[in-house]
Amino acid sequence: MRDGQTDPRRRVPRTDVLLADPGLVAATAVLGRDRVKAAVTAAQDRARRGEIRPDEVRDVAVAALPAPTPRAVLNATGVVLHTNLGRAALSRPAVDALVAAAGHTDVELDLATGRRARRGRDALAALAAAVPAAAAVHVVNNGAAALVLAATALAADREIVVSRGELVEIGDGFRLPDLLVSTGARLREVGTTNRTTLADYAAVVGPRTGFVLKVHPSNFRVTGFTSAVGVRELVGLGAPVVADIGSGLLVPDPLLPDEPDAASTLRAGAHLVTASGDKLLGGPQAGLLLGDVELVERLRRHPLARALRVDKLTLAALAATLHRLDTPTRAALHADPGALRARVERLRERLGVEGRKAEVVPSVAVVGGGGAPGVELESWALSLPEWYAVPLRTGEPPVLGRVVRGRLLLDLRCVPPEADEAVRAAVLAVPEDD
């Protein structure tokens, strides 16, 4: 007792009481008891030193714990394949397959014979079935890895002939020329930035050519005085043609007429096609290799293939994606603008009942993820004051929109309809601006 009053340190919550708090119980399940208890103890010590009030101990302990990462977010940006948000959202069958594969699986075992089987045979068979034009297929851990494996196996100490207009930067500062040269191959650049002709290729293709590389410039467009050479023409040069289509579109899509697809590229004569699994295919991150039996087998048996081997979780999610191509990516790309507008109007009306003012405005969505540059998708968005952006982005769940001319736009194209209520609740959870 001091001055007739209870020592405030006695009001500091006990450890067992704090650890029973629902929020800290949830954190314990993810981070472990020792880590959570250490945060609780540190907060209690601060309270005993008088740095915080006893009733603040719980909140201070929670704030000291690292947030789970990665966190699930609601993508209301209008960018279907948002690289910073992990590109393609997996379908429910793919998620279920991934969870099932988390335990022991028959990834390299034939249960009927009890003997070793080809790794990922279900995913490989599904990929082959999805693109019958491919005589053989293989999968590695990402799109860049697919191209690196091709360059290492087919062109180490040899030349890769490529147009200067296709030497792109793929993201985070990584440049295609640096990637290819790192394999031991030498680049033989032809043409100019805006114009390359068949004669440019023909002038340099020879005994030292490992392959001719055709790269789809999937994240930019060059217009005006331009020319390029198609795969069908390049095949006539006599050297293997490797086409990096990038986006993972397996078959033509009328919505994306200028986007190359694997089936058409192979039918045009490409000996090998490389692509990403987490873009327009709508699957997990993976590098797809499709083409000639002899070339694919050379890649599969190359020592580097082991280092680029895809894990069982990715194989499971990829197989499930290929079995059912009705992915969230496809749904977002082909969403009906009228239906989107109706959803946004319902959301505005429900917010209005709660006293929150918002507007329904036209929006322009894009494919993103380095795919279909220039393609604009008619869409609709909920328009809110810009100051909503930060609290929505840092809320639970985080809701990400885009700020345009002082307004926050929440485009519902990439938000599943069943998540509309979560968007409404997130907006209402933001304190009104005074």
Side-chain angles (χ1 to χ4, degrees):
M1 298 283 291
R2 263 185 282 178
D3 298 328
Q5 296 193 2
T6 303
D7 187 339
R9 290 174 295 182
R10 293 183 177 274
R11 299 200 302 272
V12 175
R14 298 198 319 267
T15 302
D16 59 338
V17 172
L18 289 166
L19 291 177
D21 177 89
L24 290 168
V25 169
T28 300
V30 176
L31 301 172
R33 180 181 174 85
D34 290 347
R35 193 166 190 177
V36 174
K37 185 176 179 180
V40 166
T41 300
Q44 290 171 320
D45 289 343
R46 289 187 62 189
R48 293 184 183 107
R49 293 193 298 268
E51 297 175 7
I52 61 174
R53 300 192 310 270
D55 61 358
E56 294 178 318
V57 169
R58 183 266 182 199
D59 291 341
V60 169
V62 169
L65 294 170
T69 183
R71 294 175 65 189
V73 306
L74 290 176
N75 176 13
T77 64
V79 181
V80 177
L81 298 170
H82 198 305
T83 297
N84 301 132
L85 300 183
R87 293 183 180 158
L90 293 181
S91 64
R92 173 46 55 187
V95 172
D96 292 342
L98 188 151
V99 172
H104 292 144
T105 73
D106 61 345
V107 64
E108 282 189 42
L109 182 70
D110 185 331
L111 294 176
T113 64
R115 296 178 179 176
R116 184 171 183 167
R118 186 176 181 185
R119 184 180 183 86
R121 56 199 179 280
D122 184 29
L124 294 172
L127 180 58
V131 190
V137 300
H138 187 57
V139 179
V140 291
N141 53 19
N142 62 40
L147 194 54
V148 163
L149 180 57
T152 304
L154 305 179
D157 296 324
R158 304 188 74 189
E159 292 180 348
I160 298 174
V161 179
V162 60
S163 168
R164 288 187 174 89
E166 297 174 5
L167 292 175
V168 300
E169 183 171 309
I170 58 178
D172 197 25
F174 288 97
R175 293 178 171 178
L176 187 63
D178 299 335
L179 195 70
L180 294 172
V181 169
S182 73
T183 69
R186 291 187 294 276
L187 294 186
R188 192 68 181 269
E189 302 174 21
V190 298
T192 63
T193 302
N194 60 316
R195 289 180 64 83
T196 304
T197 67
L198 184 61
D200 293 324
Y201 288 97
V204 301
V205 170
R208 297 298 303 162
T209 302
F211 59 84
V212 176
L213 176 62
K214 179 68 179 175
V215 180
H216 175 56
S218 58
N219 55 6
F220 69 95
R221 290 189 303 167
V222 178
T223 60
F225 186 55
T226 65
S227 67
V229 183
V231 167
R232 196 177 302 279
E233 297 171 279
L234 293 175
V235 171
L237 297 172
V241 174
V242 176
D244 179 20
I245 64 171
S247 69
L249 190 64
L250 298 187
V251 296
D253 187 334
L255 183 68
L256 310 170
D258 297 325
E259 193 71 11
D261 65 276
S264 299
T265 305
L266 289 167
R267 285 195 294 268
H271 300 89
L272 186 70
V273 169
T274 65
S276 296
D278 58 344
K279 295 183 181 180
L280 291 175
L281 176 58
Q285 177 177 289
L288 312 180
L289 293 142
L290 311 96
D292 178 79
V293 172
E294 189 274 332
L295 288 185
V296 172
E297 186 62 15
R298 281 177 63 183
L299 269 58
R300 190 180 76 84
R301 298 307 305 169
H302 192 279
L304 182 60
R306 174 73 181 198
L308 304 178
R309 189 175 77 170
V310 68
D311 79 314
K312 63 179 182 177
L313 301 180
T314 300
L315 287 169
L318 179 61
T321 300
L322 289 163
H323 286 315
R324 293 182 57 183
L325 293 172
D326 52 339
T327 62
T329 296
R330 181 171 179 79
L333 285 174
H334 293 270
D336 175 60
L340 290 172
R341 181 175 186 174
R343 286 173 57 194
V344 177
E345 288 178 342
R346 284 195 298 270
L347 180 57
R348 178 193 59 182
E349 291 169 2
R350 297 185 65 192
L351 289 170
V353 171
E354 301 287 344
R356 296 295 177 104
K357 294 182 179 179
E359 300 174 16
V360 176
V361 299
S363 175
V364 176
V366 296
V367 176
V375 172
E376 296 184 343
L377 306 170
E378 179 188 351
S379 198
W380 291 86
L382 186 77
S383 176
L384 295 164
E386 181 178 352
W387 54 262
Y388 272 88
V390 173
L392 281 176
R393 191 174 66 241
T394 56
E396 185 56 46
V399 179
L400 277 76
R402 69 180 189 275
V403 175
V404 179
R405 293 189 293 274
R407 300 287 292 181
L408 174 66
L409 302 186
L410 301 181
D411 188 319
L412 298 188
R413 177 174 285 271
C414 304
V415 176
E418 61 271 20
D420 288 357
E421 170 56 27
V423 174
R424 185 190 73 87
V427 172
L428 292 177
V430 176
E432 293 193 77
D433 187 33
D434 295 329

